[in-house]
Amino acid sequence: MLVNIGRESLERGFEDDGTEIEYCPPSGCTQAVAFLRERGGEFAELARDSDPDVRLAAIGGLGLFLDDADLAAAVLRELLAAEQGIAARLRTVETAATLALRLPAASHQMMDWLTGLAADPAQGPVTRLAALVQRARCVPDEIGEDVVPAAVGLLRETVRALPVRPIAPAPSHPAATDTVAPQIVAAFADLDRHTRVYAPTTALLRTFHEALGARLPERTAVLTEQLSSPDPGSRLDAVRMSGELMRTWRGDHTRLLLLVAAQLTTADEEVSAEAAAVLESCHPIAAPAREALAAHIDAQRAAHGPDVWAAPKGHLRSSHQEGVRALARLGDTRAVPSLLAALDSDADAWRAIQVAGHLPQAAEELVPRLGDHLRRVDLSQQWTEMSANAILAALAALGDPAAVPRVVDTLDAAVRHEQHGVTQSALQALGAFGPAGVVALDTIRSLTTATDAHVRPAAVAALWAVGEDLAEVMPLLLGLLDDPITFRISDAADLLGEIGPPASVALPRLRGLLAHDYEWVRVHCAAALWEIGGESEVPAVLEALLQAMIQNPATANHVVACLDRMGPLAAPALPLLREQLALPRRGGRFQSIGHDEELQRMVRTLIARLDPPAPSAPAPRTT
C-alpha cells in the first residue's frame, strides 16, 4: 500500500525529472513522497526480509524512495542473485530501471547492469528479456534495430521455459435485478475482466510496447510472437494488448486484425471470446476480419444450435455474442439470425439492441421486435432509462416509419413519468423520422418550453424536423442562442446551420458568439455561419475553426467536416490538416477509433481536393 501510494503521488505530484508540479497541494502528493523518502532505508531492510511476500512488496520502494544510489544498487544485485521466483526477479529488474530514471547518480551503473544481464547466457530467458525491456524503457529513443529481434528471440525462449497453464476461472458476478440495469452489471464485469492479468510476463511486455510507442511494425512483430504462444493466458493478454494498440495508434493494422481473428477458432473459449470482443471494439477497421467472424458464428450455430446466443457456458455465449456484434457493426446481414434469436428469447437482448441500428437492410424483421421490447419497458422505474434509450436509438438509425406509433407512445409515457432522458431520446427518434412524426406535433410543441436542460433543445429540433415551420422555430432557436447553457447554444447553432440561408436573421448573434470563451460554442456557431451566410463569412469562420482546433484537438471532427463543406475556400487550413494527418496517435472526438478513422478519411479527402497532385509530364516523343 505504501509503495502504491508513493508511486501514485509521484505520478501526480512530480514531473519526470523530479521537479514538483505547481498545482499539487503541499498537504498531498509532495508530503507523501517526502515522508516515504525520509524512510527510504527501511525499504532496503524490508527487501531483505525472510518472508518472500514482504520482500516482493518492498522491492519497488528501493527505486522510488531510497536516495542512496549505491545502497539501492547493492541490494538489487543481492536480491537478483538470491531470488528464484519470477515475480521477484521481474520486480527487481524493473526497480533497477526506475532507479536509473530517478537518480542520475545511479543511472550509469544500473544501465550497465541491465545491459550485462540482457547479454548474460547464465541468466534465464525471463531475466534477460526483463533486462532488455527495462533498458529500452530507460532510453526509448535509443532502441536500435537489433532490440526487437532480440526481444522476440528471448520471448520465444521464455515461452519454452515457463509452464503452460489453463486460464484461471474468473470470479462470478451478480446478475441484473429489477433495480440494476444489465448494462451496469456488464460494465462492472468488464472492468474486472480488463484488470485481470493471466501471464507473468504481461506487465513486462506492456512496458516494452510503451517504450516502442509508434513503432507499429516492431510492436506487431512482438505481438505476433505473443499470439503464437502455447499458453492460453499469454495469448489472452496479447489479444487484449492488440486491441489497445489498434485503438490508440494510427496505421495499417490489417495483419494484427487477422492475427486476432485467427484466435476465434482456438479451443480456449475465453481467448476466443476476448478476440471477438477486441474485433467488436475495433469494428471501424475490422473489415479484414469479416469473413473470419462470419465463419466463426456460423460454425458455432452449426455446432451448438440456433440458440447459441443464450448458451449456458459463459465463454461460449460471450464468444458468440461478441462475434455477432462485431459482424453487425460491419453491416453484415449474416449477424441477423442471432440478433433475431436474442430479441425473440430476451436473453441478453440489450446486447443485440445496441448493434441493431447498423443493419437497416433487416429493418423489416428488426423493427417489430424492437418495438415490442420498447412496449415492455416500464418507464415508472428509473433504472429502465438505459434500455429505452438504446431501443429508441436503434429505431431511429433503422429509419422505418412503422416505428413511429411506438415511439410516440414512449414519448407520452416518458413525459408522464418525468423520465427526461427517455423524453430526449424519443424526441430525437421522432426528429429522425421527419414529417412521419407529425402525429406527435402537439406533444413536441409543448416540450419546447420544458425546464430540463436537454429536453428543450431536443424538442425544438424535433419541431423543425416534423413540422418544418420556420416562423414557429426561429424565435425558439434565437432564444437558445442566448441561453447560459453552452450545449444549448451549440444545439441551436447546428439546427440553424441545417436550416441554412432562410435563418439569416440569426447571423448577427452567431457572429457575436464567435467571441464566446468556450471553443465548442465557437466551432458550432462558425459552422452555422458558413451554412447560412456562405462566402461572405469565410474569414471569420476560418479563424474561429482553426483556432479552436489548435486549442482543443477534440474539435477536429467538427472543424474538418465544416472545412470539407467549404471546399476550395478552406485552402488556408492545409498546413493544419497536414499536421493532423501526420500525428501517430489517434485523435478527434474522445480519441476513439471511430472518430479518428472518420477524421483521417475526411482530412485525406479534403487535402486531395484542396491540393491535388500535379499531372505528370508527358513522356518525350521518340522517332
Side-chain angles (χ1 to χ4, degrees):
M1 182 181 71
L2 288 172
V3 170
N4 285 336
I5 289 173
R7 181 181 292 110
E8 187 74 15
S9 297
L10 279 165
E11 291 175 357
R12 294 185 181 187
F14 291 83
E15 301 286 3
D16 291 339
D17 61 2
T19 58
E20 186 177 337
I21 296 175
E22 292 182 3
Y23 63 75
C24 189
S27 60
C29 307
T30 53
Q31 285 196 352
V33 173
F35 176 88
L36 291 167
R37 285 188 174 162
E38 288 172 3
R39 293 156 178 80
E42 296 182 32
F43 286 97
E45 296 175 15
L46 291 166
R48 290 166 165 157
D49 194 270
S50 60
D51 188 303
D53 291 332
V54 173
R55 294 198 302 273
L56 182 64
I59 292 171
L62 299 175
L64 295 169
F65 312 123
L66 184 56
D67 289 332
D68 187 332
D70 292 333
L71 174 60
V75 175
L76 290 174
R77 292 174 188 273
E78 176 186 320
L79 286 170
L80 192 67
E83 292 286 0
Q84 298 301 315
I86 290 176
R89 294 180 72 80
L90 290 173
R91 186 74 55 81
T92 300
V93 177
E94 176 191 9
T95 300
T98 301
L99 190 67
L101 288 167
R102 184 174 68 87
L103 293 182
S107 178
H108 185 71
Q109 61 173 316
M110 286 294 94
M111 292 287 285
D112 285 348
W113 188 46
L114 291 172
T115 301
L117 288 174
D120 185 357
Q123 300 291 335
V126 177
T127 302
R128 294 179 64 194
L129 178 63
L132 183 73
V133 167
Q134 296 298 344
R135 193 186 189 287
R137 170 192 164 203
C138 291
V139 283
D141 293 338
E142 297 179 15
I143 296 176
E145 294 181 357
D146 59 331
V147 172
V148 170
V152 169
L154 289 169
L155 180 57
R156 197 167 295 156
E157 291 183 41
T158 296
V159 168
R160 291 195 292 265
L162 296 177
V164 174
R165 296 180 177 141
I167 295 173
S172 59
H173 294 277
T177 68
D178 288 343
T179 57
V180 180
Q183 297 93 322
I184 298 296
V185 174
F188 277 98
D190 283 344
L191 284 173
D192 175 73
R193 180 169 61 88
H194 284 293
T195 56
R196 299 192 68 194
V197 173
Y198 296 91
T201 56
T202 293
L204 175 66
L205 292 169
R206 284 188 185 281
T207 297
F208 195 33
H209 284 290
E210 289 171 6
L212 289 170
R215 299 175 178 91
L216 298 189
E218 290 88 344
R219 293 183 67 176
T220 301
V222 176
L223 284 166
T224 300
E225 191 63 33
Q226 293 177 247
L227 289 166
S228 67
S229 172
D231 179 61
S234 297
R235 282 186 284 117
L236 192 153
D237 289 341
V239 166
R240 201 169 287 164
M241 280 188 249
S242 299
E244 292 165 2
L245 172 64
M246 292 186 286
R247 289 189 296 269
T248 305
W249 297 91
R250 294 172 170 175
D252 183 356
H253 295 298
T254 300
R255 182 185 175 197
L256 197 52
L257 285 164
L258 294 175
L259 288 169
V260 171
Q263 298 296 323
L264 294 170
T265 58
T266 180
D268 300 288
E269 289 175 348
E270 191 162 356
V271 179
S272 172
E274 193 66 39
V278 164
L279 293 173
E280 195 270 343
S281 70
C282 296
H283 68 270
I285 60 169
R290 179 193 297 269
E291 295 306 317
L293 285 165
H296 172 61
I297 65 173
D298 285 348
Q300 288 179 323
R301 288 175 62 84
H304 302 283
D307 296 326
V308 63
W309 176 278
K313 292 178 64 178
H315 295 316
L316 171 61
R317 182 172 69 246
S318 177
S319 174
H320 186 75
Q321 290 182 3
E322 294 296 349
V324 169
R325 283 160 54 87
L327 199 61
R329 288 191 189 276
L330 290 171
D332 196 308
T333 55
R334 287 174 286 185
V336 171
S338 290
L339 296 182
L340 297 181
L343 294 171
D344 289 340
S345 69
D346 205 20
D348 293 335
W350 65 274
R351 293 183 181 273
I353 290 166
Q354 286 182 336
V355 300
H358 293 268
L359 292 162
Q361 316 95 302
E364 187 175 343
E365 296 174 284
L366 291 169
V367 167
R369 291 171 169 87
L370 291 169
D372 186 58
H373 276 269
L374 187 58
R375 177 185 59 80
R376 289 185 274 132
V377 173
D378 182 4
L379 290 179
S380 68
Q381 305 296 319
Q382 289 293 323
W383 67 273
T384 60
E385 178 180 345
M386 293 178 69
S387 297
N389 289 346
I391 300 171
L392 289 165
L395 290 171
L398 293 173
D400 187 345
V404 168
R406 182 64 61 206
V407 175
V408 172
D409 290 344
T410 302
L411 175 62
D412 292 338
V415 172
R416 186 167 62 253
H417 293 292
E418 297 184 345
Q419 285 263 33
H420 301 307
V422 180
T423 300
Q424 178 192 8
S425 295
L427 288 166
Q428 290 170 340
L430 288 170
F433 293 122
V438 70
V439 292
L441 193 57
D442 289 341
T443 303
I444 293 170
R445 187 175 286 121
S446 71
L447 292 170
T448 59
T449 57
T451 57
D452 181 79
H454 296 274
V455 168
R456 183 180 166 195
V460 174
L463 183 64
W464 169 250
V466 172
E468 297 182 338
D469 185 337
L470 186 63
E472 183 177 24
V473 169
M474 280 305 299
L476 299 171
L477 289 173
L478 294 174
L480 288 173
L481 289 181
D482 293 331
D483 201 289
I485 300 176
T486 55
F487 70 77
R488 283 185 167 182
I489 302 174
S490 298
D491 288 349
D494 288 346
L495 188 51
L496 287 164
E498 182 182 329
I499 294 170
S504 59
V505 67
L507 285 174
R509 297 196 193 185
L510 290 170
R511 292 187 192 110
L513 285 166
L514 293 187
H516 198 281
D517 58 2
Y518 187 36
E519 68 277 1
W520 278 105
V521 169
R522 300 198 299 273
V523 165
H524 287 273
C525 290
L529 267 177
W530 161 253
E531 300 296 344
I532 299 168
E535 191 168 344
S536 63
E537 306 292 340
V538 166
V541 168
L542 274 178
E543 182 180 5
L545 292 177
L546 300 187
Q547 284 185 354
M549 188 168 163
I550 293 169
Q551 179 183 352
N552 182 359
T555 63
N557 290 79
H558 287 77
V559 170
V560 174
C562 184
L563 293 173
D564 186 57
R565 295 191 296 271
M566 294 173 70
L569 296 172
L574 269 171
L576 186 58
L577 293 172
R578 291 195 178 99
E579 287 178 19
Q580 170 59 233
L581 202 56
L583 296 174
R585 279 186 177 271
R586 295 203 179 276
R589 193 79 187 271
F590 307 121
Q591 296 181 313
S592 71
I593 189 169
H595 284 112
D596 181 67
E597 287 295 316
E598 178 191 36
L599 175 61
Q600 290 185 72
R601 178 187 57 76
M602 288 193 298
V603 170
R604 288 192 183 96
T605 301
L606 186 52
I607 289 176
R609 288 172 60 200
L610 296 177
D611 190 20
S616 57
R621 296 181 63 184
T622 58
T623 59

